[in-house]
Amino acid sequence: MNRIVLTKSKARKIILHAAGLSKRAQFGKGMEAVYKLIDHLGFIQIDTNYVVERAHHHTIAARVPDYKPEWLDELQADGRIFEFLTYATGYIPMHDFRFSQPVKESFLSRRKPLTPAEINLMDKMLDRISRDGPLMARDFEYDRIVASSGWWDWRPSKIALERLHLEGRLMTTRKKDFQKVYDLPKNIVPGDIDTTPPTAAEFARHVVHRALKALGIAYVKDITRPARFVKGHSVRTELQRLVEAGEVCQVEIKGLNTAPLYMLPAYEGRKIDLSDDAFILSPFDVLNVLRHRLRDFFDFDYQVECFVPEAKRKYGYFSLPVLIGDTFVARMDSKADRKQGVLTIHNLHFEPLKLTKPMVGKVADAIETFAKFNQCKAIAIKKSNNKPALSAIRKVLC
């Protein structure tokens, strides 16, 4: 068994490089850089929260300096990416389409038996889309019988569309207002794309390689996460086979006693230099969604607090991690008022570390760039736990 011993510092470099955060423009600039990033990560999570720009746009903009949100639409229209599920909903390279098939098959096999009325409704909606072309949920008759009881209490037609989507009989794109548009797969998937369902072993190998390419170093639970919706997957078994074959390495971190860790051999000898760029990151960034890795490798205890009752929040509703080099230096609770053109930072909380003047300057520059990305011309910082740093940042931004 190939076992590699790494320092914690080297491990952080590998993780950040794998996440595309070793430096700004790691994948270049322009729309092609966006595709290269998605192709490298294999998946960029979509989230609906609009307190600041949505997570998928935020994730890309942090890595592609000249990013324009419409480039995602163009990549979808060109048949280079598509939207579907792994552990959540996100954008996936189109050449990985066949590996979405086990997810669809699993949803179909686990679905409760439908009533004749539900089957009839799905057939009618599928038939209409095949005749009329791509449609949104609001294009169908309002068929709610009782009042909605909450956000996920969808009306029957919306449920039918989502079932058709999860089963693979429909696919989705997005309008500029983020509304889903449903269409037939044959109108979205290019004809030269392999749509053959993979074997269980092929799917498992794909999951292992994709996870480790994007995560750099990961636990078993991290590697299997993209297969969470696939019933009876064999990712753990295939991981061990890949380790025995030398295609995956087991990793030990000096001074860190953890569950087994894994890495692709290609990352072992790679020379990685981290820039001193400051990155303001989304809570749903690939680097941040696995909180235990942040604690273990970066000594950073992070939680997005929009899911925490207000009375228990420490840093704010939508606190964004701020990274410089391999260190998380701050958390920034922000809200973008696009109509007024103001980015309000309710709380700029610095971590307990020594801040240098260049670091403070980098944070100020990153805030200014982030404001422009959110269509805001003005920046208002309400409070911070570091008064000297706040004063210096305000001087730069004024």
Side-chain angles (χ1 to χ4, degrees), residues 111-125 156 160 163 169:
R111 189 186 69 187
K112 295 178 181 178
L114 301 181
T115 66
E118 288 172 323
I119 294 170
N120 185 49
L121 177 60
M122 290 169 67
D123 289 343
K124 283 183 176 179
M125 300 183 89
R163 281 177 176 150
R169 290 196 279 170

Side-chain angles (χ1 to χ4, degrees), residues 276-278 324 355-365:
D276 60 354
D277 296 327
I324 297 180
L355 284 173
T356 64
K357 187 175 179 180
M359 289 169 72
V360 173
K362 290 285 185 181
V363 172
D365 292 342

Side-chain angles (χ1 to χ4, degrees), residues 43-45 84-89 222 224-229 284-286 289-290:
F43 176 83
I44 288 183
Q45 185 172 341
F84 200 62
L85 288 165
T86 58
Y87 60 83
T89 298
D222 308 330
T224 61
R225 192 168 184 245
R228 62 178 290 200
F229 292 117
F284 304 104
D285 194 288
V286 63
V289 291
L290 300 172

Side-chain angles (χ1 to χ4, degrees), residues 96-359:
D96 283 352
F97 179 82
R98 64 190 294 251
F99 296 103
S100 69
Q101 305 286 50
V103 182
K104 297 163 187 171
E105 292 166 4
S106 192
F107 273 114
L108 185 58
S109 69
R110 291 185 301 175
R111 189 186 69 187
K112 295 178 181 178
L114 301 181
T115 66
E118 288 172 323
I119 294 170
N120 185 49
L121 177 60
M122 290 169 67
D123 289 343
K124 283 183 176 179
M125 300 183 89
L126 197 61
D127 179 65
R128 184 176 166 194
I129 290 173
S130 67
R131 288 184 289 104
D132 298 348
L135 296 170
M136 294 182 288
R138 67 189 183 200
D139 294 320
F140 293 89
E141 181 182 355
Y142 188 83
D143 54 356
R144 181 178 295 284
I145 298 173
V146 296
S148 174
S149 62
W151 181 254
W152 296 108
D153 183 17
W154 290 334
R155 56 196 179 95
S157 54
K158 172 66 174 175
I159 292 172
L161 287 169
E162 284 299 303
R163 281 177 176 150
L164 290 166
H165 177 221
L166 291 175
E167 293 171 14
R169 290 196 279 170
L170 289 177
M171 291 180 68
T172 59
T173 55
R174 298 274 178 171
K175 288 277 192 182
K176 290 187 182 298
D177 62 359
F178 201 60
Q179 294 296 311
K180 278 185 179 181
V181 180
Y182 298 84
D183 199 358
L184 300 179
K186 69 177 183 180
N187 296 331
I188 294 179
V189 181
D192 61 347
I193 292 295
D194 184 2
T195 60
T196 309
T199 64
E202 284 177 324
F203 174 74
R205 284 196 297 273
H206 171 80
V207 170
V208 171
H209 281 288
R210 270 302 190 191
L212 288 177
K213 189 176 181 182
L215 297 176
I217 298 171
Y219 298 104
V220 174
K221 62 183 178 181
D222 308 330
I223 296 167
T224 61
R225 192 168 184 245
R228 62 178 290 200
F229 292 117
V230 177
K231 184 179 179 182
H233 67 75
S234 58
V235 175
R236 287 176 180 267
T237 301
E238 197 61 32
L239 173 62
Q240 290 308 312
R241 288 177 183 160
L242 292 170
V243 170
E244 291 165 9
E247 292 184 45
V248 171
C249 305
Q250 194 161 341
V251 177
E252 180 182 326
I253 310 299
K254 290 180 182 178
L256 193 62
N257 185 20
T258 70
L261 288 159
Y262 300 89
M263 180 180 77
L264 295 177
Y267 283 130
E268 180 187 4
R270 185 165 295 175
K271 187 178 184 299
I272 301 169
D273 294 317
L274 299 182
S275 73
D276 60 354
D277 296 327
F279 296 93
I280 297 172
L281 300 175
S282 167
F284 304 104
D285 194 288
V286 63
L287 184 63
N288 297 325
V289 291
L290 300 172
R291 293 175 57 196
H292 54 275
R293 285 204 323 155
L294 294 182
R295 287 193 299 268
D296 290 347
F297 293 101
F298 296 90
D299 302 310
F300 185 58
D301 190 7
Y302 174 72
Q303 180 180 18
V304 59
E305 295 182 347
C306 56
F307 304 120
V308 175
E310 186 173 359
K312 294 184 178 181
R313 291 175 193 153
K314 294 181 180 180
Y315 306 105
Y317 176 80
F318 208 63
S319 181
L320 311 175
V322 183
L323 176 78
I324 297 180
D326 67 352
T327 304
F328 286 94
V329 301
R331 308 161 198 250
M332 192 176 90
D333 180 36
S334 313
K335 181 177 175 60
D337 186 336
R338 298 161 187 86
K339 289 184 179 180
Q340 299 298 321
V342 177
L343 176 71
T344 299
I345 300 173
H346 297 290
N347 184 18
L348 182 57
H349 181 92
F350 288 93
E351 298 301 297
L353 51 84
K354 184 178 179 181
L355 284 173
T356 64
K357 187 175 179 180
M359 289 169 72

